[in-house]
Amino acid sequence: MPDFTSLRRPSPIGRLPVPDTLAICCGQCRPHSRKPAHTAPSSLFIDEIDAVGSREDQGSARNRNYQQQVINAFLGEMNTLAREEGVIIIGACNHPATIDAAILLAGRFDIKIEMPLPDADSLLAVFQRHFPAWPDADLRDLGQRAVGSSAADVDAAIRQLRAGVRAHDRAVTIKDLQVIFSVQSDPSIDWSVAVHECGHAIVCAALETGVVRRIFLERTGGGFVQWDPDAKSGLMIDIEAILAQHMAGRAAEYLVLGNISSGAGGSAASDLAKATAMALAIHTQYGLGACGPVWIGDADKALLLDPTWRSGCANISRQQKLVPCMSLASTATCWRRWHDS
């Protein structure tokens, strides 16, 4: 993002007309993007690159037009740099899924590296940097306690703690940090979450939808499965397999625990949200469902509110029973193999 403190205009940026703001943003970015070409060999680091956004984002026509011009200008600068020898472009962000697909094409960002949360040894190094004189055993214990936090989380917690104890005219102690990074988990909840996440991983392997890289329990009580999806042909059986994987966490809870929690629901990134979106896409975008070979586009929410359409889809789902059966059968079969071994 441009450094707005360097603008000469006296008007606040929020009060500028949209064309004026756009011109200033692009004008501020252009010199920075072209400087590496004049100093090659060099590198250009773009932090929070997901702020560029995507032309697929929903919103008003005015916002889409603005965002499209920003992305087009950004792509133009990227194409210019791509033709320069000795220039490496590096981008970093927390939400790569929100970046426009054109930005991630080969020739712009060829290598994509996902940085997982640090493990206990990496967090130990963070504590050692802040408290080099403390015993290694105490710092190693803190590293174990802080697993699930990012290095930035640990740094922020330490800064906040130091500010708090400064008011009492004392130094930070090991007990202060043990309180902040205390392990407050319920073993029964951890077991339920572990069963849920293992269900996803088991069905992923059973239906060969991809390769499981990591199964993780978060400090906040949730969990996730990191997996690399395999390329598929987009056949109905492929879509059903992904649907089964989304629902496999609930299936595992039912098979192992005898009950189902609300863990699969919640936000738009939840298992149920993803499964619902994919199930609707079968009918409204893929041309494989009740609506026939048509593309309805972004009418999913309107269709969900239509009682007649919902009733029709519910009847189809009850007749086919594809997703629940695949989830339960795949999870049950693989779970028994694992248990017997």
Side-chain angles (χ1 to χ4, degrees):
M1 292 296 291
D3 179 9
F4 290 119
T5 60
S6 66
L7 297 179
R8 296 180 180 178
R9 292 172 178 262
S11 303
I13 195 71
R15 296 179 184 176
L16 290 173
V18 169
D20 230 4
T21 308
L22 181 60
I24 292 173
C25 289
C26 296
Q28 289 282 320
C29 292
R30 192 169 294 115
H32 295 287
S33 63
R34 296 185 179 178
K35 184 177 180 180
H38 299 137
T39 58
S42 61
S43 63
L44 173 64
F45 179 75
I46 308 173
D47 199 11
E48 307 295 353
I49 194 173
D50 49 350
V52 174
S54 171
R55 288 168 291 191
E56 300 294 328
D57 290 347
Q58 300 298 314
S60 66
R62 181 186 180 190
N63 289 341
R64 286 198 300 270
N65 179 59
Y66 182 93
Q67 197 160 35
Q68 183 170 359
Q69 293 183 64
V70 171
I71 293 172
N72 288 343
F74 182 79
L75 291 173
E77 298 302 322
M78 290 287 294
N79 291 338
T80 300
L81 284 173
R83 293 191 291 267
E84 300 291 341
E85 292 289 339
V87 177
I88 299 176
I89 306 174
I90 305 170
C93 68
N94 292 321
H95 307 287
T98 64
I99 301 176
D100 193 90
I103 296 174
L104 301 178
L105 289 177
R108 293 178 179 137
F109 288 96
D110 297 309
I111 302 175
K112 302 171 183 66
I113 302 174
E114 182 174 353
M115 298 294 292
L117 289 172
D119 58 14
D121 289 336
S122 300
L123 292 170
L124 169 63
V126 177
F127 285 110
Q128 287 174 333
R129 176 168 54 85
H130 283 283
F131 309 101
W134 286 15
D136 187 70
D138 291 339
L139 296 178
R140 192 169 295 277
D141 174 67
L142 289 174
Q144 290 286 351
R145 290 169 173 266
V147 169
S149 305
S150 68
D153 292 334
V154 174
D155 281 333
I158 293 174
R159 286 197 305 270
Q160 185 176 5
L161 178 59
R162 280 175 168 160
V165 300
R166 192 179 299 121
H168 300 282
D169 195 24
R170 68 178 182 85
V172 175
T173 66
I174 185 67
K175 291 184 177 180
D176 294 329
L177 288 169
Q178 287 175 341
V179 170
I180 292 178
F181 296 104
S182 61
V183 180
Q184 298 177 345
S185 61
D186 186 326
S188 63
I189 295 177
D190 288 344
W191 171 241
S192 176
V193 174
V195 167
H196 181 105
E197 300 304 332
C198 285
H200 290 303
I202 287 170
V203 171
C204 178
L207 301 183
E208 299 180 347
T209 58
V211 178
V212 176
R213 298 297 183 189
R214 193 181 190 193
I215 305 174
F216 195 83
L217 296 184
E218 298 175 313
R219 290 178 58 85
T220 57
F224 67 87
V225 175
Q226 180 183 345
W227 64 291
D228 297 332
D230 290 340
K232 298 295 182 181
S233 302
L235 300 176
M236 192 63 180
I237 190 172
D238 300 325
I239 300 172
E240 290 166 356
I242 298 297
L243 276 171
Q245 183 176 334
H246 286 323
M247 301 299 293
R250 288 169 60 92
E253 290 181 35
Y254 180 78
L255 287 170
V256 179
L257 306 176
N259 211 336
I260 298 175
S261 72
S262 61
S267 70
S270 65
D271 299 334
L272 290 180
K274 293 176 182 177
T276 301
M278 183 168 284
L280 280 169
I282 291 174
H283 301 282
T284 63
Q285 297 180 21
Y286 301 159
L288 300 174
C291 300
V294 297
W295 186 86
I296 300 178
D298 300 326
D300 51 350
K301 294 182 180 179
L303 289 171
L304 278 174
L305 296 175
D306 185 340
T308 303
W309 199 89
R310 286 182 61 186
S311 176
C313 285
N315 290 332
I316 292 173
S317 299
R318 280 194 292 269
Q319 292 170 8
Q320 294 178 341
K321 296 183 180 178
L322 290 170
V323 174
C325 287
M326 288 180 68
S327 294
L328 286 168
S330 302
T331 308
T333 301
C334 294
W335 194 276
R336 290 192 186 97
R337 289 177 186 172
W338 171 81
H339 187 272
D340 294 340
S341 63

